[in-house]
Amino acid sequence: MIRRTAPLLAAVAILALAACNKPGSATAPASGNGADLIIHGGSVLTMDGDTPTYVEAVAVKDGKILTAGSDADVMKTRDDHTVVKELGGKLLLPGFIDPHSHFIDSLTMADRVNVSAPPVGPASNPEQIVATLKAAAAKKGLKPGELLLGWGYDENLMPGGDLLSRDILDKAFPDNPVGIIHVSMHGAVMNSKAMEKFGYTDGMPTPKGGIIVRKPGTQDLQGLVMETAYLPMYTKQPGPTRETELADAKAGQLLYAAAGVTTAQEGSTHQAQLETFQRVAKAGGFFIDVVSYPFLTDVDAISKTTPFTSWGKYDNHLKVGGCKITSDGSPQGKTAWFTTPYLTGGPAGEKGWKGEPGFPVDAMQAMMKKCYDNNVQVLFHANGDAAIDFLIKTHVASAGTDPSADRRTVCIHCQFIRPDQIAAFRKYNLIPALFTDHTFFFGDTHIKNRGLQQASFISPMKAALAAGLRPTNHTDAFVVPINQMMTVWTAVNRPLRSGGTLGPDQRISPYQALQAITTSAAYQYREEDSKGRIKPGMRADLVILSADPNKVDPMTIKDITVIETIKDGKTVYPAS
């Protein structure tokens, strides 16, 4: 894993970087008659067109691309105020546009303990998870009664079915509430103190659309809750305070900027979280663009204070992009909704388990109609093929007389889309936001749960492109690290963690993989006229990489690092 661009920077390092670098401060000089900034001395990949096009240099003025072309022509824009940046043989291309992640989590990452399995984290079994938590608690000086949160637990990687449980966490932390967020971000394992804190009791009913794993032969909670059963814990987790939110937002943005990302997404926003973002924006605290999508449970409340008519417009780098509807869960958590049963049963031992809708069907249908009627974009989370069927059906029912209109409706994850559904997406102008990182991180689990044939077609980038779609590709951070070179690497190679390739016929070229996080991602946001390409008049959102993904051994793409990230012509990473 590339530690430089992964979201696993130590909190101290993040805060130190935030202190010495003042993102958004002027790196380009005061404006004269010529360019503010010229970058040359390497390769400039414009991303303009369907094949790689390179120029020698680019000039920036007032935060936008002034010109791009030969070194001699670009240098004609230079005057006494121009800063000239040397690439030193490195690659310059447009800044990466995040098609889907959870930016809000970046504001709290420094306070949570990474208990992920390698290569993301250190813990391969429950004993190592506990040891990692204990070391973090000691470092924090955790006092009795204080909450300890971890992230990255994946039961599928635990050896011999040896699962993390309430009892294990109780024994290790009898005096503290402890919660470990599931790697899918759709659930958590809690100890008894955490259950008490968040309102869980033995014998409580399982809510519709939820999963509560119980101890064998009893109604006592084992520790793992998922989907709607996770909401009571999720909504009560501590977040940034008014005193810390500016510093937390800066640290979070640096995680994205360190990965070359200049536009980030908050893909499931609750009202209090949006209010935090709005305060940060008003205070001038955003130095990359953040696009927020209110969650279906909060759309009505948010639209009263932030009217639909204001959505889709930036205000100090913050934009409310549209509505978020979640129709199912995660395939690795066995809560994705399929038309055929899981080969391994359900997450709580259910037989013939196909998954189920994540929310009441009528509530999701009503929200889709409301969002369409108010002309705002919809992000529709759908992983399993039954959920994707439901998306298509709900889209047609909500769209009125013109279901093929340009709405930029996005199927988030869309992993187990079928060929016939790809054809429907083309017909109705739907956008698949795919997730090829799953081939590496969860591919072996998908083979076990869904079979090799269906698993081999997850996130079918090549088939989507062949059908004339414009798929994007995301990390769903912090399900996996916000590491754009890892995302390109998985799209190009589709590697399994255990070795080999999952669905080799769906591999795409490095350039196509870069399009998914530049030009196609800009299209997804309706920002194709201002972002994603190096072309006069476009915003000067840029990233410098240590090597060109188009010109290295495909298996080494993940080793490419981010050297510098530039937003609107100003350096936001690294510290200077």
Side-chain angles (χ1 to χ4, degrees), residues 64-322:
K64 294 184 177 180
I65 304 298
L66 178 63
T67 189
S70 71
D71 197 69
D73 286 344
V74 170
M75 281 299 178
K76 292 176 183 177
T77 68
R78 181 180 184 178
D79 69 8
D80 292 342
H81 299 281
T82 305
V83 169
V84 178
K85 185 184 295 291
E86 298 287 340
L87 284 171
K90 306 297 191 295
L91 176 73
L92 179 75
L93 72 161
F96 298 135
I97 300 170
D98 161 36
H100 178 68
S101 72
H102 298 272
F103 176 77
I104 189 66
D105 290 311
S106 72
L107 277 63
T108 57
M109 289 299 288
D111 292 325
R112 297 184 183 183
V113 184
N114 178 13
V115 297
S116 306
V120 177
S124 298
N125 55 53
E127 291 74 21
Q128 291 176 355
I129 291 175
V130 167
T132 303
L133 291 170
K134 282 185 171 292
K139 186 175 181 179
K140 287 171 176 279
L142 192 72
K143 297 178 176 62
E146 291 183 341
L147 176 67
L148 182 65
L149 290 176
W151 62 275
Y153 171 64
D154 187 351
E155 75 279 11
N156 298 292
L157 299 179
M158 298 297 103
D162 187 16
L163 303 180
L164 186 66
S165 69
R166 164 191 187 175
D167 291 342
I168 291 172
L169 294 175
D170 280 349
K171 183 178 179 180
F173 296 94
D175 301 319
N176 295 89
V178 178
I180 311 301
I181 312 304
H182 191 268
V183 69
S184 67
M185 291 176 61
H186 284 237
V189 179
M190 291 175 283
N191 71 352
S192 296
K193 289 283 187 181
M195 289 178 182
E196 180 181 343
K197 178 180 179 67
F198 294 117
Y200 294 83
T201 58
D202 288 328
M204 66 183 289
T206 301
K208 187 173 180 60
I211 298 291
I212 295 179
V213 178
R214 303 180 191 269
K215 296 180 180 179
T218 76
Q219 287 299 300
D220 293 349
L221 278 64
Q222 180 267 0
L224 178 63
V225 298
M226 298 194 74
E227 305 306 336
T228 57
Y230 170 53
L231 287 178
M233 179 190 176
Y234 175 77
T235 56
K236 296 175 185 175
Q237 289 173 28
T241 66
R242 293 206 179 196
E243 293 73 27
T244 67
E245 61 191 16
L246 275 173
D248 293 338
K250 180 179 287 187
Q253 288 172 90
L254 284 169
L255 291 176
Y256 282 79
V261 174
T262 52
T263 300
Q265 183 181 117
E266 189 349 82
S268 182
T269 314
H270 294 275
Q271 184 176 19
Q273 295 166 343
L274 180 59
E275 290 170 355
T276 295
F277 293 157
Q278 289 170 331
R279 289 193 298 270
V280 170
K282 186 175 181 180
F286 284 123
F287 53 86
I288 66 172
D289 290 339
V290 176
V291 187
S292 174
Y293 287 84
F295 191 53
L296 69 93
T297 57
D298 293 54
V299 167
D300 287 339
I302 287 172
S303 64
K304 290 177 182 178
T305 56
T306 306
F308 287 122
T309 53
S310 70
W311 294 22
K313 304 168 187 175
Y314 279 107
D315 182 8
N316 289 326
H317 291 293
L318 174 66
K319 177 171 79 170
V320 180

